[in-house]
Amino acid sequence: MRRTQSVLIVDDSSIIQQTTKLILVNGQFQSANIFCASNATEAIKYCQQQRFDILFLDFNLGFGSTGLQLLERLHHHELLNHSPLIFILTADDSPAVLMGFSEYQPDDYLVKPLRLSTLKQRLEYSFEQRAINERAFAHYQQVGISGIESMCTQYTPPLAIHCTTMTAVAKQLLNQKQPHLHADILALLTLIQRLYQSLPAQLLLIQLWLQQQNFKALDPLLAQLRRSYPNHLMLLEYSASAALLQNKITQGYDFWLQAHNVSKNNLQRLFGLLWIESHFQNHSAMQQHLREAISYLRYSVWDKPCYHAFIVWLQLQHSDKKSLPIERLWRTISQQKTITKHERPFIYLLQAWQYLDNDNNLGAYKSYGAAMDAIHYIDPDNHSFEFDAIALCINKRLAMTRHQTDCYQRLQYNLLQRQNEPHSIIKNMWLETMKPTSDHRTDDQYRHALRLVKQKYYIEAGQAILQLWPHYRFDEVLARCLVELSSRGHLDNEPQHQQCIKEARWTFESQDFKPEWYLKLKTQYRSLQRPLY
């Protein structure tokens, strides 16, 4: 069996890689099935390409993410649902490190320097337990719950091992995410609780009740376990999830904050805190957490443009950095000299936000257009939530109703795919406050103004469109009407109306490839040839 098992060793030391590989080969593992990665990014690529039976993860991976952040990312992308054996390699066995990893329930910890006898002993124990678990699952598949109960009566290991076995079967069933299996999972976990007070089984029961949103049973169990284990990361994380799913935002925030203070490496949790702090304008806490996010994000597996953009966006809203150049703020986080093509759409978007802070609507619209063109060129069908969230806020500030509606719908769809995640609860709450208040497709005044144009009541049409413009700024249909009516003398020269006409012209002047009708109109009317800046 060992010869067919695949192993991934993640360690920044080539010596540790080779030593661990040699021990495994001596333990009858096939060399061709043993893979090595020097950092978290390599490890994620390996795990995306194949399923490993065993993972050895170093805590300190040198330049880049820690092993803890790697586990966080693998769980987030559901790359460990097949329940591989996970061994943590660490020279630091301090409570803080071990507590951080406990959130992901590794099978064992191995303290460096590795000893052949220790590794063999731990492997043997884990393989024996895994073999028992597999036999139990096979019994379950053949005859159901009674198969596991009968199996436990046939063998005489300690009661704790029986409970570990039944918990493993329940976990395997829960990972299949099939509601019709919930009754069997509950029966297994209830049986364990009658035999033995097992925390892993109780944590699994919490997961089940979270999926079912059975808060009547869930909340008392969480409260009971928190009294016994006040700083247990998984309990705090599940407590936060339960609170957020019940729209108890302040309580969920407190649980997340407590968990963060126990272990600061979890960036998903940190971004959750920032979303809540941003929504409730908790500036002092947010500034501290922004500094931490910048520190932990750099070179980690979460080091992506969307998270950089989120941090810079918060800085632009709530700090003394509002007037600093966007590229300078970006490089402070990324520590890179150049901006990549994947980062450029976010840069344009943030520049649009900064233009708005300086009351430069024309500059904001042009940068926004550049951002949308760039993101569509790179990845037209897969905007990140952060990109669309910033875009939606820009649309709202510019009163660009059409764009606002499109962004809002994309964000709704994004959240629908992850509707039960704690982050989605926060983001959905924020999104509700950003709901568009009007839509050109159902706005009677909008349709009436266009009918006036079609019926050639140009003066009345112009007045109607000028009234609509503050609610539909840079709308290309209304902008064309304003440009044509203005150039032909159907609009007056009042200052506030001239600003609307200027913005209408900019709708087309800011485009790299201007419409043919607009270019033709410019050759006919001198007023359209005056520069806008």
Side-chain angles (χ1 to χ4, degrees):
M1 177 182 175
R2 295 188 192 182
R3 294 180 63 82
T4 62
Q5 288 185 320
S6 57
V7 181
L8 178 62
I9 303 166
V10 188
D11 200 297
D12 62 323
S13 167
S14 59
I15 295 174
I16 297 294
Q17 289 179 14
Q18 295 307 313
T19 302
T20 309
K21 185 173 182 177
L22 182 60
I23 293 172
L24 293 171
V25 170
N26 289 337
Q28 299 179 350
F29 285 87
Q30 194 169 21
S31 178
N33 291 335
I34 302 174
F35 299 81
C36 296
S38 299
N39 55 58
T41 303
E42 285 183 21
I44 290 171
K45 288 179 180 177
Y46 273 125
C47 291
Q48 288 171 334
Q49 293 166 2
Q50 70 178 89
R51 286 161 52 132
F52 289 95
D53 300 303
I54 306 171
L55 281 77
F56 290 92
L57 307 180
D58 185 21
F59 169 66
N60 186 357
L61 292 174
F63 184 78
S65 289
T66 64
L68 184 52
Q69 289 172 337
L70 169 59
L71 261 185
E72 177 192 355
R73 189 76 174 180
L74 292 174
H75 273 277
H76 182 72
H77 287 293
E78 300 184 345
L79 295 173
L80 301 179
N81 281 357
H82 60 293
S83 299
L85 287 171
I86 298 175
F87 295 92
I88 305 303
L89 307 174
T90 179
D92 181 359
D93 59 348
S94 64
V97 170
L98 299 183
M99 178 61 77
F101 277 111
S102 70
E103 191 168 1
Y104 301 103
Q105 298 180 298
D107 291 272
D108 212 338
Y109 299 90
L110 298 168
V111 179
K112 296 179 181 179
L114 285 177
R115 291 181 175 83
L116 176 61
S117 58
T118 303
L119 180 55
K120 283 186 174 180
Q121 181 183 3
R122 301 289 180 83
L123 282 171
E124 289 298 335
Y125 173 82
S126 297
F127 288 149
E128 184 178 340
Q129 182 63 61
R130 184 57 61 96
I132 295 172
N133 296 347
E134 289 175 356
R135 286 200 300 272
F137 191 74
H139 274 264
Y140 167 79
Q141 290 179 312
Q142 291 170 7
V143 291
I145 295 292
S146 60
I148 299 176
E149 293 176 343
S150 63
M151 177 183 171
C152 288
T153 60
Q154 293 172 17
Y155 300 95
T156 57
L159 184 60
I161 293 181
H162 288 320
C163 293
T164 300
T165 300
M166 287 188 282
T167 303
V169 173
K171 183 177 181 180
Q172 195 166 347
L173 293 174
L174 190 61
N175 284 342
Q176 293 182 23
K177 298 183 178 179
Q178 300 292 330
H180 71 274
L181 297 174
H182 285 181
D184 283 359
I185 297 168
L186 182 60
L188 276 172
L189 296 175
T190 304
L191 175 61
I192 295 169
Q193 294 304 101
R194 287 204 304 267
L195 297 173
Y196 187 76
Q197 286 299 307
S198 166
L199 180 60
Q202 289 172 315
L203 292 173
L204 209 59
L205 188 58
I206 289 169
Q207 278 186 265
L208 174 65
W209 284 339
L210 265 176
Q211 284 188 18
Q212 297 175 331
Q213 297 197 15
N214 181 1
F215 301 117
K216 185 176 180 180
L218 177 61
D219 288 341
L221 178 58
L222 282 170
Q224 172 198 330
L225 291 176
R226 284 197 306 271
R227 287 192 291 271
S228 302
Y229 310 95
N231 289 320
H232 193 288
L233 280 173
M234 290 186 72
L235 279 175
L236 292 172
E237 185 68 34
Y238 291 149
S239 297
S241 298
L244 294 171
L245 286 168
Q246 296 174 81
N247 288 316
K248 299 175 182 178
I249 308 301
T250 302
Q251 191 179 90
Y253 175 81
D254 289 341
F255 286 129
W256 259 349
L257 186 59
Q258 186 180 345
H260 177 69
N261 290 331
V262 173
S263 176
K264 296 181 182 291
N265 280 283
N266 189 313
L267 278 165
Q268 271 290 91
R269 185 158 51 232
L270 183 53
F271 283 122
L273 290 172
L274 286 169
W275 268 106
I276 297 176
E277 288 158 359
S278 171
H279 185 74
F280 289 108
Q281 303 292 302
N282 186 349
H283 295 169
S284 58
M286 188 171 70
Q287 292 303 322
Q288 172 62 32
H289 290 144
L290 278 174
R291 288 191 290 271
E292 291 177 359
I294 292 170
S295 173
Y296 298 133
L297 179 65
R298 193 176 299 150
Y299 309 124
S300 77
V301 288
W302 297 97
D303 192 353
K304 297 185 181 300
C306 59
Y307 299 114
H308 289 208
F310 180 56
I311 290 172
V312 174
W313 184 45
L314 293 181
Q315 288 179 325
L316 292 176
Q317 294 178 68
H318 307 292
S319 77
D320 55 358
K321 298 181 173 62
K322 284 186 177 184
S323 59
L324 292 177
I326 298 300
E327 293 194 8
R328 178 177 168 185
L329 288 171
W330 192 275
R331 290 193 186 102
T332 301
I333 300 172
S334 68
Q335 294 291 294
Q336 295 179 6
K337 293 182 179 179
T338 58
I339 305 296
T340 69
K341 69 175 183 178
H342 292 282
E343 295 171 325
R344 186 57 64 183
F346 295 95
I347 298 291
Y348 290 142
L349 207 58
L350 294 165
Q351 286 172 338
W353 182 273
Q354 199 170 57
Y355 277 128
L356 285 172
D357 284 342
N358 296 316
D359 297 320
N360 185 347
N361 288 350
L362 301 189
Y365 179 73
K366 185 171 185 179
S367 286
Y368 173 81
M372 299 309 294
D373 288 343
I375 200 72
H376 284 314
Y377 176 75
I378 293 169
D379 197 351
D381 301 319
N382 190 25
H383 299 189
S384 68
F385 186 92
E386 290 74 13
F387 183 91
D388 278 332
I390 300 170
L392 177 61
C393 289
I394 291 169
N395 292 329
K396 192 175 182 71
R397 292 179 71 182
L398 279 173
M400 297 196 301
T401 304
R402 283 179 185 253
H403 293 280
Q404 196 177 340
T405 302
D406 291 343
C407 271
Y408 183 82
Q409 290 174 346
R410 285 198 301 271
L411 288 165
Q412 275 190 315
Y413 178 78
N414 187 304
L415 291 178
L416 190 62
Q417 310 309 304
R418 305 170 178 82
Q419 56 187 331
N420 289 324
E421 291 183 7
H423 275 234
S424 295
I425 307 299
I426 303 301
K427 292 172 180 176
N428 195 61
M429 179 184 67
W430 169 83
L431 188 59
E432 281 302 302
T433 67
M434 302 295 294
K435 191 172 184 177
T437 55
S438 56
D439 188 333
H440 71 281
R441 292 167 295 190
T442 57
D443 190 328
D444 291 338
Q445 289 181 313
Y446 186 98
R447 290 183 290 187
H448 174 67
L450 295 185
R451 279 198 300 271
L452 290 174
V453 174
K454 191 173 182 180
Q455 293 165 3
K456 299 184 180 181
Y457 297 124
Y458 295 133
I459 294 177
E460 294 87 343
Q463 293 303 312
I465 293 171
L466 286 169
Q467 289 180 0
L468 283 170
W469 187 256
H471 306 287
Y472 292 93
R473 190 175 278 117
F474 299 109
D475 180 296
E476 290 199 12
V477 175
L478 297 184
R480 178 170 182 171
C481 292
L482 282 180
V483 169
E484 291 182 337
L485 292 172
S486 170
S487 61
R488 289 165 182 156
H490 296 299
L491 299 178
D492 57 47
N493 291 319
E494 291 186 26
Q496 65 267 33
H497 293 169
Q498 287 304 306
Q499 180 59 31
C500 295
I501 295 164
K502 190 176 181 181
E503 290 176 352
R505 277 188 59 196
W506 189 244
T507 306
F508 308 107
E509 285 287 347
S510 62
Q511 296 178 11
D512 292 332
F513 301 99
K514 299 171 183 57
E516 189 65 32
W517 69 265
Y518 182 74
L519 294 174
K520 185 177 180 180
L521 208 63
K522 279 187 74 172
T523 63
Q524 296 174 1
Y525 296 97
R526 188 171 297 176
S527 62
L528 296 181
Q529 296 168 16
R530 298 193 200 103
L532 289 171
Y533 277 103

